[in-house]
Amino acid sequence: MSGFATTEFPVDIRFYRQCTLPEPMLRDETIVQVWCISQQSALANVQHLKSLLSGDEIRRACRFRFDKDRNQFTIARGLLRTVLGGYLRMDPRAPQFHYSENGKPALAEHFNPHNVQFNVAHSGDLILIGLARQSRVGVDVEQVRTVFATDEIAERFFSQRERQCLRSIPSEHRHEAFFRCWTRKEAYIKATGDGLSLPLDQFDVSFAIQEPARLLATRPEPAEAAHWSMYNLDIAPGYAGALVVERL
């Protein structure tokens, strides 16, 4: 099952089924692919996915105290390896990763002749994997929760423009709007690789009802906003999702 949303890049959204295999390769530099995975659906394959992990990844999985978190890491990393193995035409056990100083993983250069970029996010039952060629990419997903201190968190982390926008949205839609904003901001800082070293109030995203996803402004470098494309990911009821891709 797949769907397309077209603005600057065609975005191919694929929903994981146990019998689904990835395309052999991301052939077109202008296509971005997002895999949406139900952790519950993938549990039946967790032992196979664990067999694809490196020793270091297995040790990381074992550090999680609860089975749910351990399985989530194993499924996400095992399916990431499966998809990358398909794109790179190699055994999924083969790729090696390195990590930026802010902790963002990337393929080791000698395993990545086509410069495949990826990012992973998870919340609730869903795991997202975003992939692109050449362009940096960031994804985020959040389960929308109504028992959540949206106003307090927005006042602490959102920009002045975003706080004003959130206040203008009717109260019955405010939680959904908050999570739209939050996922778009998280996807952007994940795409840049800056992580939390980039303050969340130093850029503005659109998130009003029926407003297209967009990076509106960046500070202190205003021109930076033009270098990124932002997308809403309507992937499942009760979830907010976002994708950010570097423009070539």
Side-chain angles (χ1 to χ4, degrees):
M1 178 178 181
S2 65
F4 291 86
T6 305
T7 50
E8 291 90 350
F9 291 89
V11 179
D12 179 8
I13 303 176
R14 294 178 176 254
F15 294 87
Y16 171 78
R17 302 290 182 266
Q18 291 181 28
C19 61
T20 300
L21 293 176
E23 294 285 341
M25 188 176 293
L26 281 166
R27 298 181 181 87
D28 190 332
E29 293 179 5
T30 66
I31 293 178
V32 181
Q33 197 166 78
V34 178
W35 286 77
C36 182
I37 300 144
S38 163
Q39 181 175 322
Q40 193 62 39
S41 297
L43 269 177
N45 284 347
V46 70
Q47 290 305 315
H48 167 68
L49 295 170
K50 182 178 180 180
S51 73
L52 305 180
L53 304 190
S54 68
D56 177 64
E57 289 167 333
I58 291 173
R59 287 188 291 273
R60 286 180 63 186
C62 289
R63 294 190 195 115
F64 289 102
R65 180 177 178 183
F66 299 108
D67 287 344
K68 179 182 177 182
D69 299 325
R70 191 178 308 118
N71 288 336
Q72 186 178 66
F73 177 87
T74 300
I75 290 167
R77 188 52 69 99
L79 284 171
L80 173 65
R81 284 184 166 278
T82 300
V83 173
L84 289 174
Y87 292 152
L88 301 172
R89 297 180 181 177
M90 63 177 62
D91 187 314
R93 299 170 183 83
Q96 296 178 5
F97 302 96
H98 65 82
Y99 296 84
S100 72
E101 60 183 39
N102 290 314
K104 185 177 181 179
L107 280 164
E109 187 173 345
H110 58 286
F111 285 96
N112 196 14
H114 302 288
N115 194 20
V116 174
Q117 305 285 319
F118 68 87
N119 195 233
V120 181
H122 54 78
S123 179
D125 182 52
L126 295 186
I127 300 168
L128 293 187
I129 300 174
L131 302 109
R133 281 185 62 183
Q134 308 299 331
S135 298
R136 288 178 289 172
V137 61
V139 290
D140 195 53
V141 60
E142 290 289 344
Q143 191 169 19
V144 175
R145 289 152 282 170
T146 55
V147 183
F148 198 78
T150 55
D151 291 341
E152 291 86 345
I153 293 174
E155 288 297 322
R156 182 176 178 186
F157 293 107
F158 287 5
S159 69
Q160 181 179 355
R161 182 177 189 168
E162 291 163 345
R163 295 196 302 270
Q164 290 172 345
C165 178
L166 188 64
R167 294 187 202 110
S168 72
I169 293 173
S171 57
E172 64 268 26
H173 299 297
R174 202 166 291 163
H175 279 89
E176 291 181 6
F178 171 88
F179 284 105
R180 279 198 303 273
C181 183
W182 187 265
T183 54
R184 292 172 189 184
K185 293 177 82 66
E186 284 286 318
Y188 174 62
I189 65 172
K190 292 175 72 178
T192 64
D194 292 327
L196 293 177
S197 66
L198 175 62
L200 292 176
D201 62 357
Q202 290 302 296
F203 60 95
D204 307 326
V205 302
S206 63
F207 63 96
I209 297 171
Q210 297 183 341
E211 185 179 17
R214 208 169 121 229
L215 182 60
L216 298 172
T218 48
R219 295 174 290 277
E221 296 294 337
E224 181 68 13
H227 296 163
W228 301 91
S229 297
M230 182 174 287
Y231 305 87
N232 182 67
L233 297 178
D234 188 11
I235 46 179
Y239 285 86
L243 165 71
V244 172
V245 187
E246 183 180 26
R247 292 178 178 170
L248 296 173

